[in-house]
Amino acid sequence: MGRELTDLAEACLEAALGIAAPQVPMAVIGMGKLGGEELNYASDVDVLFVHAGDDPREADRVAKAVLAVMTTPTADGIVFRTDADLRPEGRAGALSRTVASYTAWYERWARHWEFQALLKARPVAGDPALGAEFMAASRPFVWREVLDPDLVREAREMKTRAEAELPKRGLDDRERKRGRGGIRDIEFAVQLLQLVHGWHDPRIRSA
């Protein structure tokens, strides 16, 4: 089911990009469960937008149009819950960036969790060459010879904060995704092992 839903989401993103009719080269990078080809019916579709050229206003217009096509309610509901919140600076950041802009962010300001999130990055729609360029530029930030100890610390802090929120919602004993021993615990453990050993063993560099 995960692969089939992922294929459907990718086709919808490609169609939405076609409707937006970009006047600059654009690519959509799948993140999270979309990037990992493991969507389920409760999943959000997480994306990053990449553009080429020197017209950021056009790229912003296209990104907003794609999100609108995917998320605007109709009589039949929405296409997929879609957001670009994993982009640099989150909701405060530009919706689309050039590859050079992403690289500058990852070199200077990115938090360690952003590199962990890039484990699942994968081009899913738009210009294939631009998507490949983004992947080539981002890989060195994921697969490092020495893992920064701060990455492990940050991952633990994120998990602790998530767990602390659950009792407030009455979910501390029955949250399979974010609770202690839940899906996210397993995912974080696997991803940290990938980050530790992926430099030396390309076979485990899987989204």
Side-chain angles (χ1 to χ4, degrees):
M1 180 188 74
R3 289 287 178 89
E4 287 82 358
L5 282 175
T6 298
D7 289 344
L8 178 59
E10 290 180 23
C12 291
L13 285 165
E14 193 71 63
L17 199 58
I19 292 169
Q23 301 303 303
V24 294
M26 296 279 295
V28 182
I29 307 299
M31 304 288 284
K33 292 190 181 301
L34 175 64
E37 300 182 87
E38 53 191 6
L39 283 181
N40 59 59
Y41 289 111
S43 301
D44 290 347
V45 170
D46 295 308
V47 296
L48 299 178
F49 293 98
V50 188
H51 68 272
D54 55 0
D55 192 349
R57 287 181 296 180
E58 169 64 6
D60 183 71
R61 180 196 70 78
V62 172
K64 287 178 179 177
V66 169
L67 293 174
V69 169
M70 297 292 287
T71 63
T72 299
T74 70
D76 298 313
I78 65 169
V79 181
F80 278 97
R81 288 197 313 270
T82 308
D83 68 56
D85 291 350
L86 291 177
R87 67 188 185 271
E89 300 181 86
R91 294 181 181 178
L95 270 175
S96 183
R97 290 175 178 252
T98 63
V99 172
S101 179
Y102 276 108
T103 301
W105 173 265
Y106 294 141
E107 284 177 343
R108 301 174 189 174
W109 300 293
R111 299 286 299 275
H112 292 291
W113 68 263
E114 294 178 77
F115 303 137
Q116 183 178 347
L118 284 172
L119 276 168
K120 290 186 175 289
R122 182 175 60 86
V124 295
D127 189 306
L130 187 56
E133 184 183 350
F134 173 87
M135 294 302 294
S138 65
R139 294 304 83 185
F141 299 101
V142 178
W143 308 117
R144 298 170 179 260
E145 187 172 7
V146 178
L147 185 68
D148 192 324
D150 284 343
L151 190 149
V152 179
R153 177 183 56 77
E154 281 190 18
R156 287 175 173 166
E157 289 176 354
M158 286 173 58
K159 189 66 176 66
T160 299
R161 286 197 300 270
E163 288 180 357
E165 290 296 314
L166 297 179
K168 300 175 185 177
R169 306 177 187 178
L171 297 172
D172 46 323
D173 294 325
R174 54 188 177 88
E175 172 54 86
R176 291 190 297 172
K177 178 179 179 180
R178 292 165 294 180
R180 186 173 300 175
I183 294 170
R184 188 162 288 174
D185 265 355
I186 298 167
E187 183 175 46
F188 272 34
V190 170
Q191 289 179 350
L192 288 175
L193 286 169
Q194 283 183 288
L195 292 169
V196 169
H197 300 291
W199 170 270
H200 305 287
D201 190 350
R203 294 174 300 172
I204 64 171
R205 298 180 187 180
S206 167

